[in-house]
Structures are given as C-alpha cells and as structure tokens.
C-alpha cells in the first residue's frame, strides 16, 4: 500500500485530475468533496497526509484544520487555495496547516510537497541494519539473514553500539561507557569476551567485527 492521502477538493474536474496524478505516484487516495466529509474522514485512523482545499462546502478548510488540531491530531495538512493574499496563508498556517500551495500549481510540486510532509512526520525508525544483520530496538530482537539470534543484555548493548557506529573504530572504553552508563564494573577483558561471542553469532550475516590493534573495534560489511 502506498502513502495514504486524503484529498479534499470540491471542483470535480480538478479533483479527478489530482486523484489520477497521485494514484500514478503509487499513493492510496481517499477523495471527498466537502468540509464535513473531510472532518469525518480525519477522525478515522489511516490518513498520512491531508491535501485540503480552503474553499469547501459545509465548513471551510480552515475549520477542518482547526477541528483536527483541537482533537490533538498531528496529521500533516497541505492547503490548496486560490487565495493568494498573505493573510489567508498566515491564517492557514496559524490554524495548524503545515504547508500550502496557491492555485494553479504544478502537479509535480504537489507530489513533492506531499512526500516531504510525510517524511517530516514519519515516526523514527526503530530498526538499524547492515548487510544481513538487523536490530529492532523496540522489540530488542536481532536477526541474521532473517533468522533470530539470542543475545544477552550486554551482548545486545555491545552489538547495538558497534552497529550504530558502523564503519568507525570505537575503543573498548567507549563501549563500556555506552552499555554501562551507571558505572557498573565491567573490564576491557569482558568486552573482548562479548565481542568473541558476537563474532560466532554473526556468522553468515555478511558483517564482521574487526580488531584494530591499539585502538579498538570496527564493525563493517564483510568483504
């Protein structure tokens, strides 16, 4: 399923053209033609970006946005308007809209602005990966080539720190400071043990933990 867009436009010809253009960009579009229908649609989960005309039957776009923000919803809103007066643009943004386009506009710009809004409001990824290794920090699950591997709490901490700094040399002390911020007693020899265990568990991942003598460790994609 592509990016889920709510398109609110009462001009049937323009709405049909925009619908086709957005669908051609692999977006999943819900089309409504008045403010009350838009308000109802935005009360349901699923919309990732709302593209909203200001001049709508029922209630106008300003009121739709005001109600949306009054509910505490953070859905990004792009206003479409034929009104090019500065006060209308300011009112829209102050009401809670995130961006606006003045008609007429290029479809390519509309698509670009929708995607930019979606990127800015996307939740941060909880996963980090390199080659065949992936870590999901939300569930604390590690996978090698799609298969789960078991890690102790400290092994997880070492691997997460190395993966976050992939391609850079990190010292044993940096690893200790990162995984034990409350100063628990862990020696550099213990770090060597965790790294040794991780190397065995990462077999087949396409990732290698290299020892850089005198400096520390470097995690990188295996050659």
């Amino acid at each position: 399923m592509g990016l889920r867009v709510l398109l609110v436009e009462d001009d049937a010809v323009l709405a049909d053209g925009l619908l086709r253009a957005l669908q051609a960009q692999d977006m999943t579009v819900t089309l409504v033609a008045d403010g009350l229908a838009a308000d109802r649609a935005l009360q349901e989960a699923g919309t990732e970006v709302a593209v909203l005309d200001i001049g709508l039957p029922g209630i106008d776009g300003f009121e739709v946005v005001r109600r949306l923000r009054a509910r505490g919803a953070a859905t990004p809103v792009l206003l479409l308007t034929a009104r090019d007066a500065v006060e209308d643009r300011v009112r829209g943004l102050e009401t809670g809209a995130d961006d606006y386009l003045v008609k007429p506009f290029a479809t390519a710009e509309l698509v670009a602005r929708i995607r930019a809004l979606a990127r800015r409001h996307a939740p941060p990824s909880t996963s980090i990966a390199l080659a065949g290794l992936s870590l999901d920090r939300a569930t604390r699950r590690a996978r090698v080539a799609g298969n789960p591997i078991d890690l102790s709490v400290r092994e997880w901490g070492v691997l997460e720190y190395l993966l976050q700094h992939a391609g850079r040399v990190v010292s044993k002390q940096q690893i200790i400071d990162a995984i034990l911020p409350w100063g628990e007693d862990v020696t550099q020899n213990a770090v060597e043990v965790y790294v040794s265990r991780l190397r065995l568990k990462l077999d087949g991942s396409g990732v290698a933990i290299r020892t850089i003598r005198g400096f520390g460790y470097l995690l990188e994609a295996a050659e």
Side-chain angles (χ1 to χ4, degrees):
M1 181 181 293
L3 183 66
R4 297 185 299 275
V5 176
L6 174 66
L7 176 60
V8 190
E9 174 58 63
D10 65 320
D11 182 319
V13 175
L14 177 59
D16 183 66
L18 293 178
L19 175 65
R20 293 174 184 273
L22 297 182
Q23 289 176 334
Q25 296 296 318
D26 295 323
M27 297 183 186
T28 301
V29 184
T30 299
L31 174 63
V32 298
D34 65 77
L36 291 174
D39 184 50
R40 289 192 296 269
L42 287 169
Q43 292 180 49
E44 300 177 1
T47 297
E48 293 176 273
V49 178
V51 179
L52 184 65
D53 190 18
I54 288 180
L56 294 170
I59 58 175
D60 66 17
F62 295 131
E63 178 63 14
V64 174
V65 176
R66 188 197 67 76
R67 293 186 184 188
L68 176 71
R69 300 301 182 229
R71 293 192 293 270
T75 306
V77 175
L78 172 63
L79 288 178
L80 303 179
T81 177
R83 309 175 188 182
D84 57 2
V86 173
E87 55 267 27
D88 286 326
R89 297 180 229 169
V90 170
R91 180 184 174 192
L93 295 173
E94 288 186 341
T95 301
D98 299 273
D99 199 359
Y100 67 88
L101 271 177
V102 177
K103 301 175 184 177
F105 51 81
T107 303
E109 183 178 4
L110 173 63
V111 170
R113 286 174 180 259
I114 290 172
R115 287 180 172 157
L117 284 175
R119 286 194 301 270
R120 290 204 298 269
H121 289 78
S125 173
T126 62
S127 297
I128 49 177
L130 179 66
L133 170 66
S134 64
L135 300 184
D136 188 325
R137 289 175 285 186
T139 61
R140 294 287 169 176
R141 291 179 180 173
R143 293 182 180 273
V144 166
N147 300 311
I149 58 173
D150 292 325
L151 299 175
S152 70
V153 172
R154 289 184 178 177
E155 288 170 352
W156 171 278
V158 172
L159 183 56
E160 181 183 34
Y161 186 77
L162 288 170
L163 187 54
Q164 286 174 325
H165 297 81
R168 290 160 32 184
V169 178
V170 296
S171 69
K172 294 175 186 176
Q173 190 58 51
Q174 285 176 309
I175 294 172
I176 292 171
D177 292 343
I179 67 174
L180 297 170
W182 298 286
E184 293 183 35
D185 184 21
V186 173
T187 66
Q188 294 193 3
N189 287 339
V191 173
E192 293 176 5
V193 172
Y194 300 143
V195 169
S196 178
R197 292 175 183 170
L198 287 170
R199 283 172 171 151
L200 293 174
K201 294 182 179 184
L202 296 181
D203 183 45
S205 68
V207 169
I209 303 175
R210 308 195 188 282
T211 299
I212 310 300
R213 295 194 178 278
F215 293 96
Y217 298 106
L218 169 67
L219 184 144
E220 62 183 1
E223 297 179 354

